[in-house]
C-alpha cells in the first residue's frame, strides 16, 4: 500500500488532473488538501471532457472516495454548482463518495470583490489572479477572522458571523471605492448552498485516519504548482497556499510518516498563466502551441505563456517536494520540433546559478543556459509502451527526470486515459 502525494513541479497546469484520474484506478481515496476553485483540472474519461475545480479528480471513477480536506478554501456556491454540473453529466456525487472538512475555510463574496479590487489597483504590478477570492480568503484564515464549513451548516451561527464580516468588509470596500454587499442577499445564497452541502460535511481527519488504519491507499491531489507556492514560489506572483508536498500533511491532518511517495507532475515544456518572471518564456513556442489549440487556461480561458523546459526550476522542485518519481505530460506537444531546448542553468550577471534566486527581480533578470536535444519528429500519440516511443523521445524524457532528480514513472502522450505510459 502506498500513499502518494502528487504535486505540480512547475507553475501549475502540468496535467495533474489527468494523472490523478489515471492513478485513481488503483487507489481508494483522493484528497484535495489546498487551494480552491482557482484550480482547473482537465480529465477526459470515456471521451467526455470534465474540468474539476474543487472536487477531486477521483470523482469520475465509481466506488472511489473523494475528500476535500481542511486546507482547501471553499466557495460553497461554486462547489454546489460543480456537484450539480457533474450530476448533469451522470457522475454520481453523494455523501458516499464525497466528504468535505468542517474545518475548511469559506470563500465569501467580499473575498472575490477584494481580489478584483486589489488587482485593479495594482495596475501593471498585478499578479494576474483567477479572481476567485483565494488570496483574501486565506488572508482571513491567517488573520483568524475566517468563517468555516462547520459554521456554514449552523444557520444561526453563520448569520451572526457573516453579519460582522460583511459590515467590516463593506467599510473596507467603500474605502477602496468598490461596490457594497447586501447582507441578506449573501446570506440567502450561502444558506441555499449550505442546505445542499450539509450532508457532505464532517471530520475528514478522523475519516482519513480510519482509512489508513484499514490499509486503504490514498492519493493527495495537489493544486497549482511548486512555483505558485506561498513560501517557495516566485513571491509575490504566487497563490496563497502551500502547493508543495508539505501542504498535503498540514492540509489534511495526515502526518508526514504516513506518506510513502511524492510524484511530481511536469510538462515536457513549461507554461505559466498570470504575471511573474518566467525565464524560459518563448514567444515562438507560445504561438506554436496556441496554434495547435493548446494551452488555454481551464479556469479562466486565458492563453498560457509557454516556453522551454526549465530544469533549474524542476531540480529545485525536486528538492522542496522530495520528489521520488515524475510523470512527464504533453510529450506529444514537441512531436514536430527539429530541435528542443532545455534550460540547465541560469546566468545572472556573471554568476551561474543552479537553483532559482529567491528575489523576484533577480529571477526576472536570469538568462537561461540551454542544452539542445534533437527532436524525434514522429507522432507519439499512439505509443502504448515506453519502448514504442521514438528513441530520441525516450532519451529526452529520461533526461528531464534525471535533471529533476527523480525516477521516471509515467509519460503522457495525449489527454486521454489510454494515452498514458507507465515506464
Ligand atoms: P492541471 O491543472 O495540472 O490538472 O492541468 P490542466 O488540466 O489545467 O492543463 C493540462 C492540459 O493538458 C489539459 O488540457 C489536459 O487535457 C492536457 N493534457 C494533459 N496531459 C496531456 C498530454 O500528455 N498530451 C496532451 N496533448 N494533452 C495533455
Ligand atoms: P491548477 O491546479 C495555473 C495562478 C494565477 C495567478 C496566481 C495567483 O489548475 O494547476 P490566485 O487566483 O490563486 O490568487 O492566482 O496563481 N494560478 C494558477 N495557475 N494553474 C492553477 O491551478 C492556478 N491557480 C492559480 O494565474 O498567476
Ligand atoms: Mg489547471
Amino acid at each position: 500500500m502506498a500513499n502518494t502525494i502528487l504535486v505540480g513541479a512547475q507553475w501549475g497546469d502540468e496535467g495533474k488532473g489527468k494523472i490523478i484520474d489515471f492513478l485513481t484506478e488503483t487507489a481508494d481515496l483522493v484528497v484535495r488538501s489546498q487551494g480552491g476553485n482557482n484550480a482547473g483540472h482537465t480529465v477526459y474519461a470515456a471521451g467526455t471532457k470534465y474540468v474539476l475545480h474543487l472536487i477531486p479528480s477521483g470523482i469520475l471513477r465509481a466506488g472511489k472516495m473523494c475528500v476535500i480536506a481542511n486546507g482547501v478554501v471553499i466557495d460553497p456556491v461554486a462547489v454546489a454548482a460543480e456537484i450539480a454540473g457533474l450530476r448533469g453529466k451522470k457522475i454520481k456525487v453523494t455523501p458516499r463518495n464525497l466528504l468535505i472538512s468542517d474545518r475548511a475555510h469559506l470563500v465569501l463574496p467580499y473575498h472575490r470583490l477584494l481580489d478584483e479590487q486589489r488587482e485593479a489597483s495594482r495596475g501593471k504590478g498585478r499578479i494576474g489572479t483567477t479572481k476567485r477570492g483565494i488570496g483574501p480568503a486565506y488572508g482571513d484564515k491567517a488573520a483568524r477572522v475566517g468563517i468555516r464549513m462547520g459554521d456554514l451548516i449552523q444557520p444561526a451561527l453563520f448569520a451572526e458571523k457573516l453579519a460582522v464580516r460583511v459590515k467590516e468588509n463593506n467599510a473596507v470596500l467603500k474605502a477602496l471605492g468598490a461596490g457594497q454587499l447586501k447582507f441578506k442577499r449573501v446570506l440567502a445564497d450561502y444558506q441555499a448552498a449550505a442546505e445542499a452541502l450539509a450532508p457532505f460535511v464532517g471530520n475528514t481527519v478522523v475519516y482519513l485516519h480510519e482509512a489508513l488504519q484499514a490499509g486503504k491507499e490514498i492519493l493527495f491531489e495537489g493544486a497549482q504548482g511548486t512555483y505558485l507556492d506561498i513560501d517557495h514560489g516566485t513571491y509575490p506572483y504566487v497563490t496563497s497556499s502551500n502547493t508543495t508536498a508539505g501542504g498535503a500533511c498540514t492540509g489534511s491532518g495526515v502526518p508526514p510518516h504516513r506518506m510513502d511517495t511524492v510524484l511530481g507532475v511536469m510538462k515536457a515544456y513549461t507554461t505559466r498563466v498570470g504575471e511573474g518572471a518566467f525565464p524560459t518564456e518563448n514567444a515562438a513556442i507560445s504561438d506554436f502551441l496556441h496554434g495547435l489549440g493548446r494551452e488555454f487556461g481551464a479556469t479562466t480561458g486565458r492563453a498560457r505563456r509557454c516556453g522551454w523546459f526549465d530544469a533549474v526550476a524542476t531540480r529545485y522542485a525536486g528538492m522542496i517536494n522530495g520528489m521520488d518519481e515524475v510523470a512527464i505530460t504533453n510529450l506529444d506537444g514537441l512531436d514536430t520540433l527539429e530541435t528542443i531546448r532545455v534550460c540547465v542553468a541560469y546566468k545572472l550577471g556573471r554568476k551561474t546559478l543552479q537553483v532559482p534566486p529567491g528575489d523576484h527581480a533577480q529571477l526576472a533578470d536570469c538568462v537561461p543556459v540551454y542544452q539542445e536535444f534533437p527532436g524525434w519528429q514522429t507522432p507519439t500519440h499512439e505509443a502504448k509502451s515506453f519502448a514504442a516511443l521514438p528513441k530520441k523521445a525516450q532519451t529526452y524524457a529520461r533526461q528531464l527526470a534525471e535533471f529533476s532528480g527523480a525516477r521516471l514513472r509515467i509519460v503522457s502522450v495525449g489527454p486521454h486515459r489510454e494515452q498514458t505510459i507507465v515506464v
Side-chain angles (χ1 to χ4, degrees):
M1 286 294 157
N3 298 318
T4 302
I5 303 176
L6 181 142
V7 291
Q10 298 161 319
W11 275 271
D13 302 328
E14 295 90 348
K16 299 176 294 294
K18 183 205 148 153
I19 302 297
I20 286 283
D21 169 72
F22 178 78
L23 295 175
T24 302
E25 190 174 6
T26 54
D28 300 299
L29 290 90
V30 183
V31 180
R32 267 285 300 270
S33 48
Q34 46 71 225
N37 62 339
N38 48 349
H41 297 176
T42 313
V43 181
Y44 285 84
T48 305
K49 179 180 174 174
Y50 302 88
V51 181
L52 297 140
H53 298 286
L54 272 161
I55 312 261
S57 302
I59 201 79
L60 304 178
R61 298 217 186 234
K64 306 294 175 168
M65 185 67 192
C66 289
V67 174
I68 302 177
N70 55 279
V72 176
V73 287
I74 301 176
D75 181 330
V77 177
V79 83
E82 195 173 335
I83 292 171
L86 284 168
R87 285 176 175 161
K89 288 187 171 179
K90 306 262 181 297
I91 302 293
K92 267 203 186 122
V93 187
T94 74
R96 290 173 66 87
N97 69 343
L98 177 69
L99 182 64
I100 303 176
S101 171
D102 53 2
R103 270 82 160 176
H105 280 249
L106 303 182
V107 177
L108 285 136
Y110 45 82
H111 294 133
R112 281 195 303 274
L113 288 175
L114 284 171
D115 195 354
E116 271 174 36
Q117 188 58 38
R118 285 182 189 150
E119 282 287 274
S121 62
R122 276 187 195 109
K124 276 196 166 161
R126 70 185 181 278
I127 293 167
T129 73
T130 60
K131 300 198 179 132
R132 297 295 189 273
I134 304 302
Y138 276 114
D140 273 3
K141 174 179 175 176
R144 295 154 297 170
V145 291
I147 305 179
R148 309 198 292 182
M149 282 304 293
D151 302 320
L152 178 71
I153 57 171
Q154 300 181 64
L157 180 70
F158 177 66
E160 197 183 306
K161 290 195 173 189
L162 182 70
V164 177
R165 300 303 304 140
V166 168
K167 193 171 170 208
E168 183 189 292
N169 281 286
N170 270 342
V172 174
L173 289 164
K174 192 173 171 192
L176 296 172
Q180 296 284 285
L181 286 167
K182 289 202 168 62
F183 167 70
K184 281 197 173 148
R185 173 86 245 165
V186 180
L187 186 65
D189 291 349
Y190 275 62
Q191 274 173 341
E195 274 173 40
L197 298 179
F200 296 95
V201 179
N203 186 328
T204 52
V205 172
V206 170
Y207 186 88
L208 290 173
H209 278 259
E210 282 172 2
L212 287 171
Q213 211 66 38
K216 305 262 196 220
E217 191 165 321
I218 307 179
L219 252 177
F220 292 84
E221 173 175 351
Q224 290 81 51
T226 298
Y227 289 94
L228 295 172
D229 183 283
I230 183 85
D231 284 273
H232 302 290
T234 51
Y235 194 88
Y237 298 91
V238 294
T239 190
S240 298
S241 64
N242 282 117
T243 61
T244 43
C249 295
T250 51
S252 70
V254 174
H257 73 285
R258 301 308 302 265
M259 303 294 190
D260 299 299
T261 305
V262 179
L263 172 68
V265 183
M266 48 179 72
K267 277 182 179 144
Y269 46 91
T270 311
T271 65
R272 169 165 209 175
V273 62
E275 306 304 317
F278 179 1
T280 65
E281 184 169 18
N282 181 295
I285 302 283
S286 290
D287 291 347
F288 162 70
L289 291 166
H290 295 150
L292 297 175
R294 299 164 73 128
E295 303 308 345
F296 292 93
T299 295
T300 57
R302 291 178 290 177
R304 294 175 183 147
R305 301 156 63 194
C306 308
W308 298 114
F309 187 87
D310 185 342
V312 177
T314 62
R315 180 186 298 137
Y316 194 58
M319 220 182 269
I320 299 164
N321 295 298
M323 265 155 40
D324 301 296
E325 301 176 324
V326 291
I328 296 171
T329 68
N330 286 274
L331 187 73
D332 55 301
L334 305 176
D335 280 353
T336 56
L337 300 183
E338 207 179 312
T339 307
I340 301 168
R341 305 174 98 187
V342 173
C343 168
V344 292
Y346 295 157
K347 275 273 183 209
L348 181 62
R350 285 217 289 267
K351 277 195 220 146
T352 301
L353 306 183
Q354 302 298 328
V355 296
D359 180 71
H360 183 265
Q362 285 185 8
L363 181 65
D365 283 341
C366 283
V367 178
V369 177
Y370 285 114
Q371 184 174 328
E372 291 197 342
F373 290 83
W376 43 95
Q377 299 189 283
T378 312
T380 54
H381 291 113
E382 309 267 300
K384 295 278 175 267
S385 68
F386 192 67
L389 285 172
K391 280 279 176 299
K392 287 172 182 159
Q394 293 183 26
T395 305
Y396 182 70
R398 287 224 185 272
Q399 267 298 311
L400 299 194
E402 200 179 314
F403 284 139
S404 313
R407 190 179 79 79
L408 181 62
R409 175 164 170 202
I410 291 172
V411 176
S412 170
V413 291
H416 299 279
R417 273 179 188 167
E418 314 74 59
Q419 294 173 306
T420 316
I421 296 168
V422 178
V423 181

